[in-house]
Amino acid sequence: MEEKKLIVYNTLSRKKEKFEPLNPPHVGMYVCGPTVYGDPHLGHAKSYVSFDLIYRYLLYLGYKIRYVQNITDVGHLTDDADQGEDKIAKQSTLEQAEPMELVERYMANYYRDMDALNILRASIAPRPSGHIPEQIESIQKLIDKGFAYEANGSVYFDVLVYNSSNNYGKLSGRNVEEMEEGAANRELEKQSDKRNPFDFALWKKANEEHIMQWKSPWSVGYPGWHIECSVMSQKYLGETFDIHGGGIENAFPHHECEIAQAEAETGKPFANYWLHNNMVTINGQKMGKSLGNGVFCDELFTGDNPQLDKAYSPMTVRFFILQSHYRSTLDFSNEALEAAEKGYKRLMGALKTLETLQPARDSSFDINQIRQNCLDAMNDDFNSPIVIANLFEGVKLINSVKDGKAQMSKDDLAALRQTFNDFLFDVLGLKEEKTGQSDKLTNDLMGLVISIRKEARENKDFATSDKIRDELSRLNISVKDSKDGTNWSHDG
RNA sequence: GGUCACGUGGCCGAGCGGUUAGGCACUGGUCUGCAAAACCAGCUACAGCGGUUCGAAUCCGCUCGUGACCUCCA
């Protein structure tokens, strides 16, 4: 096991802190998952690639992690405000009638795309619809303790009561007084059931249109959207656990409310480390449904979106995401994606070259420095861009050795392979993409074609050799001549 | 209106007071029948204006710009 000197940025303290789990080597991590009411988009990709990086690095460090990620299948499925009621209403009644059909479909799509991005699945993926009794129980406890009140069949969390003994707003840096002013300025609609505008729902009485309903002591209704996360995280990770993650846009109110609920109920700290990833912009603009510039993962992989010049493979997308830090915004553009694609291919190409290198007596480069730099980068709040920069140092070295301009000892060759294996595959989670078929028949046929071209070249019949190369190029097969012979590769 | 981030070379993106980030693109060179790939070399920025400091992209202030959030919206 590598020495653990991991530093993480904790939103709670707004500082980088040494990571010290409660019960090493065990680590409990909860990350807010998707609400499965639509297909996963680039924003999901960035978020879950980011936490996959974190998960993978913790695994790499030797921690035993229980990773919990919810799949929200409750409460928000009546209709979509941005889309307007018409569109939903005009869609088949079948689609609206059974929300669990939608859940199944979009959940399948979610896993399809996340799997393609080589994102490891969570240890447990709990769904709030399966944890209604636990949520009701938690709400009841909050009522009993005086932190919540019932009004017309709905139950609300009393933020002022909580704030008198706790600090509501400690995660997002807000305080109740400011929020009162802000609320006054914005003249929010009067929420008659609530004692205060910033109180939030624990249980909502369902109206007729609401299609998912459960019985509770207060009404037939559905749980509020914050309670699922505090209940399910604590059920599987304990009252206090190590890491809670999610998108920065959820820090307030969602995560703030989770903390309030959980700490009100248990009187103990909820999560010790709060990690938040930043968002995606498209051509410098926010990605949003209302702007009509959203890009679904699937569209990215197929190129089927007007904003895309072409398709980008899942690993290109993953590499692109990892080239920026998880806490930075990432600007999406075709130019940037294409740059990532080329860089990724160069990286993977060098890896293949590495397998063919012959050892020399000694090395003209310090391999261990690359490995150490990668470790240092990851230990500093998961700085994947720096890891990648260091792997490119390795690429340069590999190619130099191949060109006979540098040399590497047997041990160093093995060490470099190990470094690439550890960081490129295990930590960054990149993998070789199978492009096109390379079965035996194809290989044999290509061998034949290449040998014919070789003969032509030897006879200086360049018209024929170039024709072969050009025609192959039209099949997306590229031919590279070198002193050691000719290589070919097929780009799907 | 409030709270909080951010603004880096043609593009994307690290950087947390003093040292070349890196990738892509571009230019020149090597190699090649020509390409491609690869290697070598070049391009060397930090929104603007002040301030602190021996020294600032990095700290402070102001201005401009962008973004997130501000409670039933995921």
Side-chain angles (χ1 to χ4, degrees):
Chain A
M1 197 189 282
E2 309 279 350
E3 193 193 342
K4 298 195 201 80
K5 294 183 284 190
L6 178 59
I7 304 288
V8 301
Y9 181 86
N10 190 349
T11 309
L12 211 45
S13 63
R14 293 173 187 280
K15 281 191 292 232
K16 286 184 181 176
E17 298 175 9
K18 190 169 191 297
F19 177 66
E20 291 177 292
L22 285 166
N23 304 302
H26 298 281
V27 171
M29 176 161 90
Y30 185 89
V31 174
C32 286
T35 298
V36 281
Y37 78 126
D39 281 322
H41 51 66
L42 191 53
H44 291 110
K46 173 161 161 64
S47 186
Y48 300 122
V49 165
S50 296
F51 283 102
D52 188 53
L53 173 77
I54 289 167
Y55 180 45
R56 283 169 177 276
Y57 190 59
L58 292 172
L59 287 172
Y60 176 76
L61 290 178
Y63 288 115
K64 303 203 180 319
I65 309 166
R66 178 174 290 169
Y67 175 19
V68 180
Q69 186 191 63
N70 60 303
I71 299 281
T72 295
D73 61 355
V74 160
H76 326 299
L77 299 167
T78 43
D79 77 64
D80 189 320
D82 284 346
Q83 299 289 328
E85 292 162 46
D86 285 354
K87 190 176 172 191
I88 298 286
K90 279 177 190 164
Q91 284 193 354
S92 75
T93 45
L94 273 177
E95 181 157 356
Q96 235 189 343
E98 266 316 324
M100 278 301 162
E101 282 185 44
L102 290 180
V103 166
E104 288 299 329
R105 189 169 87 214
Y106 289 124
M107 195 167 65
N109 290 353
Y110 173 72
Y111 281 124
R112 177 197 64 201
D113 293 345
M114 296 302 118
D115 288 349
L117 287 164
N118 207 24
I119 290 167
L120 298 173
R121 295 209 182 185
S123 325
I124 302 176
R127 291 161 59 176
S129 67
H131 295 75
I132 299 294
E134 289 92 334
Q135 294 180 77
I136 288 174
E137 193 184 329
S138 173
I139 293 165
Q140 189 61 57
K141 277 188 199 157
L142 288 170
I143 294 175
D144 294 345
K145 286 195 163 191
F147 287 111
Y149 56 91
E150 192 237 312
N152 289 324
S154 293
V155 181
Y156 297 96
F157 188 89
D158 196 324
V159 169
L160 282 186
V161 168
Y162 174 76
N163 195 239
S164 65
S165 54
N166 294 272
N167 178 9
Y168 183 77
K170 65 181 176 183
L171 179 70
S172 55
R174 286 155 212 268
N175 63 59
V176 171
E177 292 75 34
E178 280 170 0
M179 281 164 49
E180 282 179 309
E181 289 169 28
N185 284 341
R186 294 174 82 224
E187 293 182 27
L188 290 169
E189 279 179 52
K190 205 178 176 194
Q191 310 276 345
S192 55
D193 286 347
K194 290 185 190 177
R195 291 180 188 167
N196 282 294
F198 37 76
D199 288 351
F200 55 90
L202 298 171
W203 186 265
K204 283 288 277 183
K205 183 180 179 181
N207 55 28
E208 311 83 64
E209 301 97 72
H210 209 99
I211 45 191
M212 298 184 101
Q213 309 184 354
W214 290 268
K215 281 183 193 163
S216 79
W218 315 286
S219 66
V220 173
Y222 55 98
W225 12 306
H226 310 306
I227 195 74
E228 65 178 69
C229 283
S230 34
V231 165
M232 297 194 300
S233 59
Q234 289 183 303
K235 170 162 181 170
Y236 298 110
L237 300 174
E239 290 179 333
T240 301
F241 57 92
D242 297 303
I243 296 173
H244 191 126
I248 188 68
E249 81 282 6
N250 280 331
F252 190 90
H254 182 56
H255 296 153
E256 200 72 70
C257 294
E258 279 187 59
I259 293 174
Q261 291 162 346
E263 299 193 352
E265 187 181 328
T266 66
K268 294 172 188 168
F270 183 44
N272 286 145
Y273 300 91
W274 283 85
L275 309 186
H276 289 103
N277 68 277
N278 218 131
M279 318 309 292
V280 175
T281 56
I282 293 192
N283 300 314
Q285 213 184 12
K286 162 192 178 183
M287 186 176 92
K289 234 181 277 179
S290 54
L291 291 165
N293 63 351
V295 180
F296 293 120
C297 293
D298 188 47
E299 294 174 336
L300 227 31
F301 304 155
T302 60
D304 184 20
N305 179 301
Q307 292 175 99
L308 299 173
D309 291 346
K310 52 176 279 196
Y312 301 99
S313 75
M315 284 306 107
T316 296
V317 174
R318 184 172 177 115
F319 181 77
F320 170 64
I321 290 168
L322 291 172
Q323 264 191 310
S324 84
H325 187 89
Y326 78 94
R327 281 193 291 114
S328 300
T329 54
L330 172 62
D331 191 50
F332 165 95
S333 65
N334 281 287
E335 212 178 349
L337 254 298
E338 274 173 49
E341 181 180 75
K342 287 182 184 169
Y344 170 69
K345 281 186 176 168
R346 187 162 155 245
L347 195 53
M348 297 311 283
L351 196 63
K352 277 189 180 167
T353 303
L354 178 57
E355 299 306 316
T356 67
L357 294 184
Q358 296 303 312
R361 273 202 203 90
D362 46 23
S363 297
S364 49
F365 197 88
D366 185 5
I367 302 297
N368 290 322
Q369 193 59 50
I370 292 181
R371 181 181 191 83
Q372 191 57 49
N373 290 346
C374 288
L375 274 172
D376 290 346
M378 284 306 291
N379 281 333
D380 185 13
D381 197 30
F382 313 102
N383 200 324
S384 56
I386 294 204
V387 172
I388 290 173
N390 275 283
L391 291 178
F392 273 111
E393 292 301 318
V395 168
K396 203 177 252 188
L397 179 63
I398 288 165
N399 288 324
S400 291
V401 172
K402 185 194 170 200
D403 276 15
K405 289 175 179 162
Q407 49 187 355
M408 241 187 295
S409 70
K410 194 180 170 199
D411 288 350
D412 278 354
L413 221 43
L416 190 57
R417 286 199 185 106
Q418 189 65 45
T419 297
F420 267 76
N421 197 62
D422 288 350
F423 284 94
L424 191 60
F425 296 139
D426 292 351
V427 173
L428 297 182
L430 294 162
K431 62 177 181 183
E432 280 193 65
E433 292 187 307
K434 296 274 179 277
T435 52
Q437 283 73 38
S438 53
D439 54 46
K440 185 170 184 308
L441 179 63
T442 308
N443 283 326
D444 290 351
L445 287 172
M446 279 307 297
L448 176 66
V449 172
I450 296 290
S451 74
I452 291 171
R453 178 163 171 276
K454 184 174 176 234
E455 274 176 41
R457 291 181 72 214
E458 279 165 357
N459 296 329
K460 305 228 183 287
D461 179 7
F462 298 124
T464 301
S465 69
D466 287 354
K467 185 180 178 196
I468 292 172
R469 186 171 67 197
D470 293 344
E471 293 293 321
L472 286 175
S473 167
R474 289 172 54 183
L475 300 171
N476 284 327
I477 294 171
S478 55
V479 173
K480 291 172 198 166
D481 299 321
S482 74
K483 282 180 178 147
D484 307 324
T486 299
N487 292 313
W488 65 275
S489 60
H490 181 207
D491 299 324

